[in-house]
Amino acid sequence: MIWQLDLILLGLTVACALGAVQVRDLLTSVVLLSAFSLFMCLLWIEMGAVDVAFTEAAVGAGVTTVLFVVVVLKTERESQD
Amino acid sequence: MKPGERDIIIRTVCRLLVPFVQLFGLYVIMHGHSSPGGGFQGGAIIASSFILLAMGGGYDEVKRRFSLGALTATTSAGVLLYAGLGVVCLMLGANYLDYAALPVSDARSVGMLLIEIAVGITVTAAIISIFHDLVTFE
């Protein structure tokens, strides 16, 4: 484990998570959530859990993003709160 | 360009990518017992290839080939294959899902591979049917 790389990845993960909660446009929020999944996946690889990283990349960044995009297209794009 | 019609670049790239994505999904399922990956990950990859096809070429083209009834039946068939293999082991006098009792060489690897294939079938059909439900929801 390289702690500098860990720190950078953790910082980017937290930044993506905060951005996904804060932003008003829900489609932007979905894309930020996808980026969050990507950095999470890199973190898993860095910690040696390749199997978990695989699942995170396939499901977190791939399938759920598409499902969220479909839901945003079916409902409203602007956040209500 | 009519509304609802996709750009030719998006359509072509999606169609070109789909077979490679599916081949990679099959690779992940087939090597699940000896390397990272497995039925769930491979199934998710194959399902996302069909979702990519739906995004690239319009959902109607995919919908013509997958009815909701067939998807539900496939999901159940995967679960049945998984449980059935366990029951076969039980009938051969071993514990539930004890692959070592199967009458083939390398019984453990073969049993695990069959389980991975069953999980892959179920996950693929389940994710496509979730996508189907979301897209056709009014």
Side-chain angles (χ1 to χ4, degrees):
Chain A
M1 276 173 65
I2 313 163
W3 71 266
Q4 289 93 339
L5 188 62
D6 259 359
L7 205 63
I8 294 170
L9 285 175
L10 273 174
L12 285 168
T13 313
V14 171
C16 281
L18 286 178
V21 175
Q22 287 296 326
V23 83
R24 298 282 304 171
D25 185 3
L26 287 179
L27 203 58
T28 316
S29 187
V30 170
V31 174
L32 279 170
L33 212 58
S34 174
F36 169 84
S37 269
L38 176 75
F39 289 123
M40 242 2 240
C41 167
L42 291 177
L43 261 178
W44 293 128
I45 293 177
E46 222 273 320
M47 289 190 273
V50 186
D51 222 346
V52 186
F54 216 126
T55 315
E56 184 81 40
V59 177
V63 177
T64 51
T65 305
V66 174
L67 296 184
F68 278 142
V69 167
V70 173
V71 169
V72 168
L73 291 180
K74 288 277 168 187
T75 54
E76 285 174 21
R77 198 167 159 180
E78 281 297 308
S79 171
Q80 292 295 321
D81 48 41
Chain B
M1 202 161 70
K2 282 176 285 184
E5 192 187 346
R6 267 95 173 160
D7 194 75
I8 186 164
I9 296 177
I10 295 176
R11 267 187 291 147
T12 314
V13 167
C14 285
R15 283 203 181 154
L16 277 179
L17 269 179
V18 163
F20 295 103
V21 174
Q22 288 180 348
L23 193 64
F24 181 61
L26 286 177
Y27 168 82
V28 169
I29 291 180
M30 285 308 185
H31 291 250
H33 58 287
S34 58
S35 66
F40 184 79
Q41 289 93 330
I45 290 171
I46 295 180
S48 47
S49 82
F50 286 115
I51 293 177
L52 188 69
L53 200 64
M55 287 166 75
Y59 187 61
D60 294 333
E61 194 186 325
V62 176
K63 201 165 65 178
R64 254 190 294 125
R65 295 169 196 205
F66 294 98
S67 68
L68 196 56
L71 282 173
T72 312
T74 318
T75 312
S76 312
V79 177
L80 201 66
L81 187 58
Y82 191 118
L85 196 66
V87 173
V88 166
C89 295
L90 212 57
M91 282 173 176
L92 289 169
N95 287 324
Y96 188 72
L97 286 178
D98 186 2
Y99 321 122
L102 292 174
V104 285
S105 58
D106 285 330
R108 256 178 219 289
S109 295
V110 172
M112 226 177 278
L113 184 63
L114 285 174
I115 290 291
E116 300 280 14
I117 291 171
V119 173
I121 291 171
T122 303
V123 170
T124 306
I127 289 178
I128 296 174
S129 63
I130 291 172
F131 182 70
H132 184 288
D133 275 355
L134 274 179
V135 168
T136 52
F137 182 76
E138 291 302 327

mmCIF file with all atom_site columns, all heavy atoms in Angstrom, chain B residues 46-73:
data_model
loop_
_atom_site.group_PDB
_atom_site.id
_atom_site.type_symbol
_atom_site.label_atom_id
_atom_site.label_alt_id
_atom_site.label_comp_id
_atom_site.label_asym_id
_atom_site.label_entity_id
_atom_site.label_seq_id
_atom_site.pdbx_PDB_ins_code
_atom_site.Cartn_x
_atom_site.Cartn_y
_atom_site.Cartn_z
_atom_site.occupancy
_atom_site.B_iso_or_equiv
_atom_site.pdbx_formal_charge
_atom_site.auth_seq_id
_atom_site.auth_comp_id
_atom_site.auth_asym_id
_atom_site.auth_atom_id
_atom_site.pdbx_PDB_model_num
ATOM 1   N N   . ILE B 1 46 ? -22.535 -9.034  -19.017 1.00 0.00 ? 46 ILE B N   1
ATOM 2   C CA  . ILE B 1 46 ? -23.353 -9.428  -20.169 1.00 0.00 ? 46 ILE B CA  1
ATOM 3   C C   . ILE B 1 46 ? -24.641 -8.613  -20.214 1.00 0.00 ? 46 ILE B C   1
ATOM 4   O O   . ILE B 1 46 ? -25.064 -8.139  -21.276 1.00 0.00 ? 46 ILE B O   1
ATOM 5   C CB  . ILE B 1 46 ? -23.649 -10.934 -20.117 1.00 0.00 ? 46 ILE B CB  1
ATOM 6   C CG1 . ILE B 1 46 ? -22.342 -11.716 -20.275 1.00 0.00 ? 46 ILE B CG1 1
ATOM 7   C CG2 . ILE B 1 46 ? -24.592 -11.347 -21.237 1.00 0.00 ? 46 ILE B CG2 1
ATOM 8   C CD1 . ILE B 1 46 ? -22.517 -13.190 -20.232 1.00 0.00 ? 46 ILE B CD1 1
ATOM 9   N N   . ALA B 1 47 ? -25.267 -8.417  -19.032 1.00 0.00 ? 47 ALA B N   1
ATOM 10  C CA  . ALA B 1 47 ? -26.499 -7.628  -19.001 1.00 0.00 ? 47 ALA B CA  1
ATOM 11  C C   . ALA B 1 47 ? -26.237 -6.204  -19.453 1.00 0.00 ? 47 ALA B C   1
ATOM 12  O O   . ALA B 1 47 ? -27.039 -5.620  -20.196 1.00 0.00 ? 47 ALA B O   1
ATOM 13  C CB  . ALA B 1 47 ? -27.090 -7.634  -17.597 1.00 0.00 ? 47 ALA B CB  1
ATOM 14  N N   . SER B 1 48 ? -25.092 -5.609  -19.034 1.00 0.00 ? 48 SER B N   1
ATOM 15  C CA  . SER B 1 48 ? -24.836 -4.232  -19.448 1.00 0.00 ? 48 SER B CA  1
ATOM 16  C C   . SER B 1 48 ? -24.544 -4.148  -20.940 1.00 0.00 ? 48 SER B C   1
ATOM 17  O O   . SER B 1 48 ? -24.748 -3.091  -21.542 1.00 0.00 ? 48 SER B O   1
ATOM 18  C CB  . SER B 1 48 ? -23.713 -3.602  -18.626 1.00 0.00 ? 48 SER B CB  1
ATOM 19  O OG  . SER B 1 48 ? -22.626 -4.453  -18.534 1.00 0.00 ? 48 SER B OG  1
ATOM 20  N N   . SER B 1 49 ? -24.093 -5.267  -21.564 1.00 0.00 ? 49 SER B N   1
ATOM 21  C CA  . SER B 1 49 ? -23.932 -5.230  -23.018 1.00 0.00 ? 49 SER B CA  1
ATOM 22  C C   . SER B 1 49 ? -25.287 -5.099  -23.710 1.00 0.00 ? 49 SER B C   1
ATOM 23  O O   . SER B 1 49 ? -25.422 -4.378  -24.703 1.00 0.00 ? 49 SER B O   1
ATOM 24  C CB  . SER B 1 49 ? -23.196 -6.474  -23.504 1.00 0.00 ? 49 SER B CB  1
ATOM 25  O OG  . SER B 1 49 ? -24.073 -7.552  -23.628 1.00 0.00 ? 49 SER B OG  1
ATOM 26  N N   . PHE B 1 50 ? -26.310 -5.775  -23.180 1.00 0.00 ? 50 PHE B N   1
ATOM 27  C CA  . PHE B 1 50 ? -27.642 -5.633  -23.768 1.00 0.00 ? 50 PHE B CA  1
ATOM 28  C C   . PHE B 1 50 ? -28.200 -4.234  -23.519 1.00 0.00 ? 50 PHE B C   1
ATOM 29  O O   . PHE B 1 50 ? -28.898 -3.666  -24.374 1.00 0.00 ? 50 PHE B O   1
ATOM 30  C CB  . PHE B 1 50 ? -28.592 -6.687  -23.198 1.00 0.00 ? 50 PHE B CB  1
ATOM 31  C CG  . PHE B 1 50 ? -28.334 -8.055  -23.737 1.00 0.00 ? 50 PHE B CG  1
ATOM 32  C CD1 . PHE B 1 50 ? -27.893 -9.069  -22.914 1.00 0.00 ? 50 PHE B CD1 1
ATOM 33  C CD2 . PHE B 1 50 ? -28.498 -8.324  -25.080 1.00 0.00 ? 50 PHE B CD2 1
ATOM 34  C CE1 . PHE B 1 50 ? -27.629 -10.322 -23.409 1.00 0.00 ? 50 PHE B CE1 1
ATOM 35  C CE2 . PHE B 1 50 ? -28.244 -9.571  -25.588 1.00 0.00 ? 50 PHE B CE2 1
ATOM 36  C CZ  . PHE B 1 50 ? -27.810 -10.571 -24.751 1.00 0.00 ? 50 PHE B CZ  1
ATOM 37  N N   . ILE B 1 51 ? -27.885 -3.659  -22.324 1.00 0.00 ? 51 ILE B N   1
ATOM 38  C CA  . ILE B 1 51 ? -28.331 -2.296  -22.045 1.00 0.00 ? 51 ILE B CA  1
ATOM 39  C C   . ILE B 1 51 ? -27.661 -1.322  -23.009 1.00 0.00 ? 51 ILE B C   1
ATOM 40  O O   . ILE B 1 51 ? -28.279 -0.379  -23.509 1.00 0.00 ? 51 ILE B O   1
ATOM 41  C CB  . ILE B 1 51 ? -28.038 -1.940  -20.575 1.00 0.00 ? 51 ILE B CB  1
ATOM 42  C CG1 . ILE B 1 51 ? -28.903 -2.802  -19.656 1.00 0.00 ? 51 ILE B CG1 1
ATOM 43  C CG2 . ILE B 1 51 ? -28.301 -0.484  -20.303 1.00 0.00 ? 51 ILE B CG2 1
ATOM 44  C CD1 . ILE B 1 51 ? -28.640 -2.591  -18.200 1.00 0.00 ? 51 ILE B CD1 1
ATOM 45  N N   . LEU B 1 52 ? -26.364 -1.587  -23.317 1.00 0.00 ? 52 LEU B N   1
ATOM 46  C CA  . LEU B 1 52 ? -25.646 -0.761  -24.292 1.00 0.00 ? 52 LEU B CA  1
ATOM 47  C C   . LEU B 1 52 ? -26.308 -0.843  -25.657 1.00 0.00 ? 52 LEU B C   1
ATOM 48  O O   . LEU B 1 52 ? -26.482 0.172   -26.346 1.00 0.00 ? 52 LEU B O   1
ATOM 49  C CB  . LEU B 1 52 ? -24.199 -1.244  -24.380 1.00 0.00 ? 52 LEU B CB  1
ATOM 50  C CG  . LEU B 1 52 ? -23.218 -0.414  -25.204 1.00 0.00 ? 52 LEU B CG  1
ATOM 51  C CD1 . LEU B 1 52 ? -22.970 0.901   -24.515 1.00 0.00 ? 52 LEU B CD1 1
ATOM 52  C CD2 . LEU B 1 52 ? -21.927 -1.152  -25.407 1.00 0.00 ? 52 LEU B CD2 1
ATOM 53  N N   . LEU B 1 53 ? -26.713 -2.053  -26.049 1.00 0.00 ? 53 LEU B N   1
ATOM 54  C CA  . LEU B 1 53 ? -27.412 -2.243  -27.326 1.00 0.00 ? 53 LEU B CA  1
ATOM 55  C C   . LEU B 1 53 ? -28.714 -1.449  -27.335 1.00 0.00 ? 53 LEU B C   1
ATOM 56  O O   . LEU B 1 53 ? -29.065 -0.804  -28.338 1.00 0.00 ? 53 LEU B O   1
ATOM 57  C CB  . LEU B 1 53 ? -27.702 -3.723  -27.521 1.00 0.00 ? 53 LEU B CB  1
ATOM 58  C CG  . LEU B 1 53 ? -27.983 -4.212  -28.925 1.00 0.00 ? 53 LEU B CG  1
ATOM 59  C CD1 . LEU B 1 53 ? -26.747 -4.022  -29.776 1.00 0.00 ? 53 LEU B CD1 1
ATOM 60  C CD2 . LEU B 1 53 ? -28.384 -5.668  -28.904 1.00 0.00 ? 53 LEU B CD2 1
ATOM 61  N N   . ALA B 1 54 ? -29.439 -1.483  -26.189 1.00 0.00 ? 54 ALA B N   1
ATOM 62  C CA  . ALA B 1 54 ? -30.698 -0.753  -26.105 1.00 0.00 ? 54 ALA B CA  1
ATOM 63  C C   . ALA B 1 54 ? -30.461 0.744   -26.207 1.00 0.00 ? 54 ALA B C   1
ATOM 64  O O   . ALA B 1 54 ? -31.245 1.477   -26.818 1.00 0.00 ? 54 ALA B O   1
ATOM 65  C CB  . ALA B 1 54 ? -31.403 -1.081  -24.793 1.00 0.00 ? 54 ALA B CB  1
ATOM 66  N N   . MET B 1 55 ? -29.365 1.242   -25.589 1.00 0.00 ? 55 MET B N   1
ATOM 67  C CA  . MET B 1 55 ? -29.075 2.677   -25.647 1.00 0.00 ? 55 MET B CA  1
ATOM 68  C C   . MET B 1 55 ? -28.641 3.084   -27.041 1.00 0.00 ? 55 MET B C   1
ATOM 69  O O   . MET B 1 55 ? -28.944 4.189   -27.495 1.00 0.00 ? 55 MET B O   1
ATOM 70  C CB  . MET B 1 55 ? -27.989 3.028   -24.630 1.00 0.00 ? 55 MET B CB  1
ATOM 71  C CG  . MET B 1 55 ? -28.472 3.009   -23.206 1.00 0.00 ? 55 MET B CG  1
ATOM 72  S SD  . MET B 1 55 ? -27.084 3.014   -22.096 1.00 0.00 ? 55 MET B SD  1
ATOM 73  C CE  . MET B 1 55 ? -26.572 4.692   -22.235 1.00 0.00 ? 55 MET B CE  1
ATOM 74  N N   . GLY B 1 56 ? -27.909 2.201   -27.726 1.00 0.00 ? 56 GLY B N   1
ATOM 75  C CA  . GLY B 1 56 ? -27.387 2.568   -29.034 1.00 0.00 ? 56 GLY B CA  1
ATOM 76  C C   . GLY B 1 56 ? -28.416 2.481   -30.134 1.00 0.00 ? 56 GLY B C   1
ATOM 77  O O   . GLY B 1 56 ? -28.511 3.357   -30.979 1.00 0.00 ? 56 GLY B O   1
ATOM 78  N N   . GLY B 1 57 ? -29.207 1.393   -30.150 1.00 0.00 ? 57 GLY B N   1
ATOM 79  C CA  . GLY B 1 57 ? -30.095 1.165   -31.279 1.00 0.00 ? 57 GLY B CA  1
ATOM 80  C C   . GLY B 1 57 ? -31.556 1.372   -30.984 1.00 0.00 ? 57 GLY B C   1
ATOM 81  O O   . GLY B 1 57 ? -32.396 0.973   -31.782 1.00 0.00 ? 57 GLY B O   1
ATOM 82  N N   . GLY B 1 58 ? -31.874 1.958   -29.834 1.00 0.00 ? 58 GLY B N   1
ATOM 83  C CA  . GLY B 1 58 ? -33.273 2.103   -29.481 1.00 0.00 ? 58 GLY B CA  1
ATOM 84  C C   . GLY B 1 58 ? -33.765 0.870   -28.750 1.00 0.00 ? 58 GLY B C   1
ATOM 85  O O   . GLY B 1 58 ? -33.318 -0.246  -29.025 1.00 0.00 ? 58 GLY B O   1
ATOM 86  N N   . TYR B 1 59 ? -34.649 1.070   -27.791 1.00 0.00 ? 59 TYR B N   1
ATOM 87  C CA  . TYR B 1 59 ? -35.041 -0.054  -26.955 1.00 0.00 ? 59 TYR B CA  1
ATOM 88  C C   . TYR B 1 59 ? -35.944 -1.037  -27.695 1.00 0.00 ? 59 TYR B C   1
ATOM 89  O O   . TYR B 1 59 ? -35.986 -2.210  -27.354 1.00 0.00 ? 59 TYR B O   1
ATOM 90  C CB  . TYR B 1 59 ? -35.717 0.443   -25.678 1.00 0.00 ? 59 TYR B CB  1
ATOM 91  C CG  . TYR B 1 59 ? -35.975 -0.675  -24.719 1.00 0.00 ? 59 TYR B CG  1
ATOM 92  C CD1 . TYR B 1 59 ? -34.908 -1.398  -24.213 1.00 0.00 ? 59 TYR B CD1 1
ATOM 93  C CD2 . TYR B 1 59 ? -37.247 -1.028  -24.339 1.00 0.00 ? 59 TYR B CD2 1
ATOM 94  C CE1 . TYR B 1 59 ? -35.104 -2.455  -23.368 1.00 0.00 ? 59 TYR B CE1 1
ATOM 95  C CE2 . TYR B 1 59 ? -37.457 -2.078  -23.481 1.00 0.00 ? 59 TYR B CE2 1
ATOM 96  C CZ  . TYR B 1 59 ? -36.394 -2.785  -23.000 1.00 0.00 ? 59 TYR B CZ  1
ATOM 97  O OH  . TYR B 1 59 ? -36.593 -3.834  -22.165 1.00 0.00 ? 59 TYR B OH  1
ATOM 98  N N   . ASP B 1 60 ? -36.669 -0.569  -28.717 1.00 0.00 ? 60 ASP B N   1
ATOM 99  C CA  . ASP B 1 60 ? -37.628 -1.443  -29.400 1.00 0.00 ? 60 ASP B CA  1
ATOM 100 C C   . ASP B 1 60 ? -36.951 -2.665  -30.002 1.00 0.00 ? 60 ASP B C   1
ATOM 101 O O   . ASP B 1 60 ? -37.502 -3.767  -29.992 1.00 0.00 ? 60 ASP B O   1
ATOM 102 C CB  . ASP B 1 60 ? -38.349 -0.661  -30.499 1.00 0.00 ? 60 ASP B CB  1
ATOM 103 C CG  . ASP B 1 60 ? -39.206 0.435   -29.919 1.00 0.00 ? 60 ASP B CG  1
ATOM 104 O OD1 . ASP B 1 60 ? -39.628 0.260   -28.756 1.00 0.00 ? 60 ASP B OD1 1
ATOM 105 O OD2 . ASP B 1 60 ? -39.441 1.442   -30.594 1.00 0.00 ? 60 ASP B OD2 1
ATOM 106 N N   . GLU B 1 61 ? -35.720 -2.452  -30.520 1.00 0.00 ? 61 GLU B N   1
ATOM 107 C CA  . GLU B 1 61 ? -35.015 -3.549  -31.164 1.00 0.00 ? 61 GLU B CA  1
ATOM 108 C C   . GLU B 1 61 ? -34.685 -4.656  -30.162 1.00 0.00 ? 61 GLU B C   1
ATOM 109 O O   . GLU B 1 61 ? -34.783 -5.843  -30.471 1.00 0.00 ? 61 GLU B O   1
ATOM 110 C CB  . GLU B 1 61 ? -33.731 -2.988  -31.786 1.00 0.00 ? 61 GLU B CB  1
ATOM 111 C CG  . GLU B 1 61 ? -33.088 -3.933  -32.763 1.00 0.00 ? 61 GLU B CG  1
ATOM 112 C CD  . GLU B 1 61 ? -31.759 -3.394  -33.245 1.00 0.00 ? 61 GLU B CD  1
ATOM 113 O OE1 . GLU B 1 61 ? -31.643 -2.166  -33.392 1.00 0.00 ? 61 GLU B OE1 1
ATOM 114 O OE2 . GLU B 1 61 ? -30.850 -4.198  -33.450 1.00 0.00 ? 61 GLU B OE2 1
ATOM 115 N N   . VAL B 1 62 ? -34.280 -4.247  -28.927 1.00 0.00 ? 62 VAL B N   1
ATOM 116 C CA  . VAL B 1 62 ? -33.961 -5.245  -27.903 1.00 0.00 ? 62 VAL B CA  1
ATOM 117 C C   . VAL B 1 62 ? -35.237 -5.888  -27.378 1.00 0.00 ? 62 VAL B C   1
ATOM 118 O O   . VAL B 1 62 ? -35.291 -7.094  -27.125 1.00 0.00 ? 62 VAL B O   1
ATOM 119 C CB  . VAL B 1 62 ? -33.161 -4.579  -26.760 1.00 0.00 ? 62 VAL B CB  1
ATOM 120 C CG1 . VAL B 1 62 ? -32.889 -5.564  -25.640 1.00 0.00 ? 62 VAL B CG1 1
ATOM 121 C CG2 . VAL B 1 62 ? -31.855 -4.048  -27.296 1.00 0.00 ? 62 VAL B CG2 1
ATOM 122 N N   . LYS B 1 63 ? -36.293 -5.049  -27.262 1.00 0.00 ? 63 LYS B N   1
ATOM 123 C CA  . LYS B 1 63 ? -37.542 -5.533  -26.659 1.00 0.00 ? 63 LYS B CA  1
ATOM 124 C C   . LYS B 1 63 ? -38.170 -6.629  -27.505 1.00 0.00 ? 63 LYS B C   1
ATOM 125 O O   . LYS B 1 63 ? -38.840 -7.518  -26.995 1.00 0.00 ? 63 LYS B O   1
ATOM 126 C CB  . LYS B 1 63 ? -38.507 -4.362  -26.487 1.00 0.00 ? 63 LYS B CB  1
ATOM 127 C CG  . LYS B 1 63 ? -39.582 -4.612  -25.447 1.00 0.00 ? 63 LYS B CG  1
ATOM 128 C CD  . LYS B 1 63 ? -40.263 -3.343  -25.050 1.00 0.00 ? 63 LYS B CD  1
ATOM 129 C CE  . LYS B 1 63 ? -41.033 -2.735  -26.206 1.00 0.00 ? 63 LYS B CE  1
ATOM 130 N NZ  . LYS B 1 63 ? -41.742 -1.514  -25.791 1.00 0.00 ? 63 LYS B NZ  1
ATOM 131 N N   . ARG B 1 64 ? -37.939 -6.567  -28.840 1.00 0.00 ? 64 ARG B N   1
ATOM 132 C CA  . ARG B 1 64 ? -38.519 -7.583  -29.712 1.00 0.00 ? 64 ARG B CA  1
ATOM 133 C C   . ARG B 1 64 ? -37.967 -8.966  -29.391 1.00 0.00 ? 64 ARG B C   1
ATOM 134 O O   . ARG B 1 64 ? -38.623 -9.971  -29.601 1.00 0.00 ? 64 ARG B O   1
ATOM 135 C CB  . ARG B 1 64 ? -38.229 -7.226  -31.173 1.00 0.00 ? 64 ARG B CB  1
ATOM 136 C CG  . ARG B 1 64 ? -39.459 -6.707  -31.883 1.00 0.00 ? 64 ARG B CG  1
ATOM 137 C CD  . ARG B 1 64 ? -39.221 -6.603  -33.370 1.00 0.00 ? 64 ARG B CD  1
ATOM 138 N NE  . ARG B 1 64 ? -38.213 -5.592  -33.682 1.00 0.00 ? 64 ARG B NE  1
ATOM 139 C CZ  . ARG B 1 64 ? -37.125 -5.848  -34.407 1.00 0.00 ? 64 ARG B CZ  1
ATOM 140 N NH1 . ARG B 1 64 ? -36.912 -7.051  -34.862 1.00 0.00 ? 64 ARG B NH1 1
ATOM 141 N NH2 . ARG B 1 64 ? -36.273 -4.883  -34.667 1.00 0.00 ? 64 ARG B NH2 1
ATOM 142 N N   . ARG B 1 65 ? -36.716 -9.020  -28.904 1.00 0.00 ? 65 ARG B N   1
ATOM 143 C CA  . ARG B 1 65 ? -36.082 -10.319 -28.651 1.00 0.00 ? 65 ARG B CA  1
ATOM 144 C C   . ARG B 1 65 ? -36.263 -10.808 -27.236 1.00 0.00 ? 65 ARG B C   1
ATOM 145 O O   . ARG B 1 65 ? -36.084 -11.984 -26.944 1.00 0.00 ? 65 ARG B O   1
ATOM 146 C CB  . ARG B 1 65 ? -34.593 -10.218 -28.962 1.00 0.00 ? 65 ARG B CB  1
ATOM 147 C CG  . ARG B 1 65 ? -34.411 -9.954  -30.430 1.00 0.00 ? 65 ARG B CG  1
ATOM 148 C CD  . ARG B 1 65 ? -33.023 -9.580  -30.763 1.00 0.00 ? 65 ARG B CD  1
ATOM 149 N NE  . ARG B 1 65 ? -33.019 -8.984  -32.095 1.00 0.00 ? 65 ARG B NE  1
ATOM 150 C CZ  . ARG B 1 65 ? -31.980 -8.977  -32.883 1.00 0.00 ? 65 ARG B CZ  1
ATOM 151 N NH1 . ARG B 1 65 ? -30.869 -9.494  -32.494 1.00 0.00 ? 65 ARG B NH1 1
ATOM 152 N NH2 . ARG B 1 65 ? -32.055 -8.427  -34.065 1.00 0.00 ? 65 ARG B NH2 1
ATOM 153 N N   . PHE B 1 66 ? -36.562 -9.921  -26.286 1.00 0.00 ? 66 PHE B N   1
ATOM 154 C CA  . PHE B 1 66 ? -36.721 -10.334 -24.895 1.00 0.00 ? 66 PHE B CA  1
ATOM 155 C C   . PHE B 1 66 ? -38.125 -9.992  -24.430 1.00 0.00 ? 66 PHE B C   1
ATOM 156 O O   . PHE B 1 66 ? -38.423 -8.831  -24.226 1.00 0.00 ? 66 PHE B O   1
ATOM 157 C CB  . PHE B 1 66 ? -35.733 -9.603  -23.984 1.00 0.00 ? 66 PHE B CB  1
ATOM 158 C CG  . PHE B 1 66 ? -34.305 -9.950  -24.247 1.00 0.00 ? 66 PHE B CG  1
ATOM 159 C CD1 . PHE B 1 66 ? -33.520 -9.135  -25.022 1.00 0.00 ? 66 PHE B CD1 1
ATOM 160 C CD2 . PHE B 1 66 ? -33.750 -11.083 -23.699 1.00 0.00 ? 66 PHE B CD2 1
ATOM 161 C CE1 . PHE B 1 66 ? -32.209 -9.448  -25.269 1.00 0.00 ? 66 PHE B CE1 1
ATOM 162 C CE2 . PHE B 1 66 ? -32.434 -11.402 -23.939 1.00 0.00 ? 66 PHE B CE2 1
ATOM 163 C CZ  . PHE B 1 66 ? -31.675 -10.589 -24.727 1.00 0.00 ? 66 PHE B CZ  1
ATOM 164 N N   . SER B 1 67 ? -38.969 -11.015 -24.273 1.00 0.00 ? 67 SER B N   1
ATOM 165 C CA  . SER B 1 67 ? -40.254 -10.729 -23.631 1.00 0.00 ? 67 SER B CA  1
ATOM 166 C C   . SER B 1 67 ? -40.064 -10.858 -22.121 1.00 0.00 ? 67 SER B C   1
ATOM 167 O O   . SER B 1 67 ? -39.142 -11.525 -21.650 1.00 0.00 ? 67 SER B O   1
ATOM 168 C CB  . SER B 1 67 ? -41.312 -11.702 -24.108 1.00 0.00 ? 67 SER B CB  1
ATOM 169 O OG  . SER B 1 67 ? -41.016 -12.994 -23.639 1.00 0.00 ? 67 SER B OG  1
ATOM 170 N N   . LEU B 1 68 ? -40.935 -10.174 -21.377 1.00 0.00 ? 68 LEU B N   1
ATOM 171 C CA  . LEU B 1 68 ? -40.790 -10.179 -19.926 1.00 0.00 ? 68 LEU B CA  1
ATOM 172 C C   . LEU B 1 68 ? -40.992 -11.588 -19.369 1.00 0.00 ? 68 LEU B C   1
ATOM 173 O O   . LEU B 1 68 ? -40.328 -11.994 -18.417 1.00 0.00 ? 68 LEU B O   1
ATOM 174 C CB  . LEU B 1 68 ? -41.800 -9.205  -19.307 1.00 0.00 ? 68 LEU B CB  1
ATOM 175 C CG  . LEU B 1 68 ? -41.546 -8.806  -17.862 1.00 0.00 ? 68 LEU B CG  1
ATOM 176 C CD1 . LEU B 1 68 ? -40.158 -8.218  -17.718 1.00 0.00 ? 68 LEU B CD1 1
ATOM 177 C CD2 . LEU B 1 68 ? -42.577 -7.820  -17.387 1.00 0.00 ? 68 LEU B CD2 1
ATOM 178 N N   . GLY B 1 69 ? -41.906 -12.350 -19.991 1.00 0.00 ? 69 GLY B N   1
ATOM 179 C CA  . GLY B 1 69 ? -42.136 -13.714 -19.528 1.00 0.00 ? 69 GLY B CA  1
ATOM 180 C C   . GLY B 1 69 ? -40.905 -14.585 -19.688 1.00 0.00 ? 69 GLY B C   1
ATOM 181 O O   . GLY B 1 69 ? -40.530 -15.337 -18.777 1.00 0.00 ? 69 GLY B O   1
ATOM 182 N N   . ALA B 1 70 ? -40.222 -14.462 -20.849 1.00 0.00 ? 70 ALA B N   1
ATOM 183 C CA  . ALA B 1 70 ? -39.014 -15.251 -21.077 1.00 0.00 ? 70 ALA B CA  1
ATOM 184 C C   . ALA B 1 70 ? -37.924 -14.857 -20.093 1.00 0.00 ? 70 ALA B C   1
ATOM 185 O O   . ALA B 1 70 ? -37.177 -15.718 -19.597 1.00 0.00 ? 70 ALA B O   1
ATOM 186 C CB  . ALA B 1 70 ? -38.532 -15.037 -22.511 1.00 0.00 ? 70 ALA B CB  1
ATOM 187 N N   . LEU B 1 71 ? -37.823 -13.560 -19.783 1.00 0.00 ? 71 LEU B N   1
ATOM 188 C CA  . LEU B 1 71 ? -36.806 -13.107 -18.828 1.00 0.00 ? 71 LEU B CA  1
ATOM 189 C C   . LEU B 1 71 ? -37.069 -13.693 -17.442 1.00 0.00 ? 71 LEU B C   1
ATOM 190 O O   . LEU B 1 71 ? -36.153 -14.176 -16.766 1.00 0.00 ? 71 LEU B O   1
ATOM 191 C CB  . LEU B 1 71 ? -36.796 -11.575 -18.750 1.00 0.00 ? 71 LEU B CB  1
ATOM 192 C CG  . LEU B 1 71 ? -36.102 -10.865 -19.898 1.00 0.00 ? 71 LEU B CG  1
ATOM 193 C CD1 . LEU B 1 71 ? -36.318 -9.379  -19.786 1.00 0.00 ? 71 LEU B CD1 1
ATOM 194 C CD2 . LEU B 1 71 ? -34.630 -11.167 -19.892 1.00 0.00 ? 71 LEU B CD2 1
ATOM 195 N N   . THR B 1 72 ? -38.343 -13.657 -17.015 1.00 0.00 ? 72 THR B N   1
ATOM 196 C CA  . THR B 1 72 ? -38.680 -14.225 -15.710 1.00 0.00 ? 72 THR B CA  1
ATOM 197 C C   . THR B 1 72 ? -38.383 -15.716 -15.672 1.00 0.00 ? 72 THR B C   1
ATOM 198 O O   . THR B 1 72 ? -37.839 -16.232 -14.691 1.00 0.00 ? 72 THR B O   1
ATOM 199 C CB  . THR B 1 72 ? -40.171 -13.983 -15.413 1.00 0.00 ? 72 THR B CB  1
ATOM 200 O OG1 . THR B 1 72 ? -40.475 -12.621 -15.686 1.00 0.00 ? 72 THR B OG1 1
ATOM 201 C CG2 . THR B 1 72 ? -40.484 -14.273 -13.968 1.00 0.00 ? 72 THR B CG2 1
ATOM 202 N N   . ALA B 1 73 ? -38.727 -16.418 -16.791 1.00 0.00 ? 73 ALA B N   1
ATOM 203 C CA  . ALA B 1 73 ? -38.460 -17.859 -16.850 1.00 0.00 ? 73 ALA B CA  1
ATOM 204 C C   . ALA B 1 73 ? -36.964 -18.138 -16.777 1.00 0.00 ? 73 ALA B C   1
ATOM 205 O O   . ALA B 1 73 ? -36.528 -19.092 -16.104 1.00 0.00 ? 73 ALA B O   1
ATOM 206 C CB  . ALA B 1 73 ? -39.043 -18.429 -18.131 1.00 0.00 ? 73 ALA B CB  1
#
